[in-house]
Amino acid sequence: MGQAVSSPPTDLTFEDYLAYDNGTDTRYELVDGVLVEMPPESDDNLSIARRLFLELVKHIPADRVVWGTEIEVTGRRATGRIPDLLVHTEESKAALAGASRATLTRDMPPPALVVEVVSPGQANRERDYRYKHTEYAARGIAEYWIVDPETRQVTLCRWVRGQYEDQVYSNDQPLQSALVPGFGLTPVEILA
């Protein structure tokens, strides 16, 4: 008889999430106290994130542009997200100095910018456009970029007085970022 696979625990605190290890390399986000498995990224989405990374490091010190950093955000219960790319402020980068895990908890300064590349599927669209939009705004992250290969658009969400104001860019419109004023790539170039 095969060994039964136990399902991940539920009703976790953020501290439980940080301590969780099931002995695999599976990545999880914590959503309202529940572990949600993060499937591997598609090669196309990885290429888009890499292209953005290479452009961002032309304008921002390379050690402040990262992937794999977790962010504790506010949900109905404990929630932690892992954006595709993250740009630190000097303060958020300094807060992780000496830490054993790249995790920005709620008591640490927020990063300057997070980028999500939307994966196919309605659940992914809803997560990136609705839930993360609200969570990142509540965390006070100055800009949130939603890169959408399906619609061939980039939504730049700018934090203004406690909420995001969204600007949708398509075709050959250069992105106008307050944080990265010289950025200038267009959706066509980002999604090439």
Side-chain angles (χ1 to χ4, degrees), residues 46-115:
L46 290 172
S47 292
I48 292 166
R50 187 171 39 255
R51 195 171 301 117
L52 286 167
F53 173 84
L54 291 171
E55 182 64 26
L56 285 167
V57 298
K58 293 176 184 176
H59 309 279
I60 295 169
D63 68 332
R64 290 187 22 209
V65 184
V66 298
W67 54 89
T69 297
E70 304 164 304
I71 306 170
E72 182 180 13
V73 295
T74 303
R76 287 177 305 194
R77 304 183 87 139
T79 300
R81 298 295 191 180
I82 308 171
D84 292 309
L85 281 176
L86 178 147
V87 175
H88 279 291
T89 61
E90 288 182 27
E91 295 78 14
S92 67
K93 181 70 175 167
L96 292 179
S100 61
R101 184 170 175 156
T103 303
L104 290 171
T105 57
R106 281 187 296 184
D107 61 336
M108 295 176 175
L113 164 67
V114 291
V115 177

Side-chain angles (χ1 to χ4, degrees), residues 29-45:
E29 284 187 336
L30 181 66
V31 181
D32 293 328
V34 177
L35 291 174
V36 176
E37 185 176 337
M38 300 306 294
E41 290 287 350
S42 71
D43 189 57
D44 288 343
N45 282 19

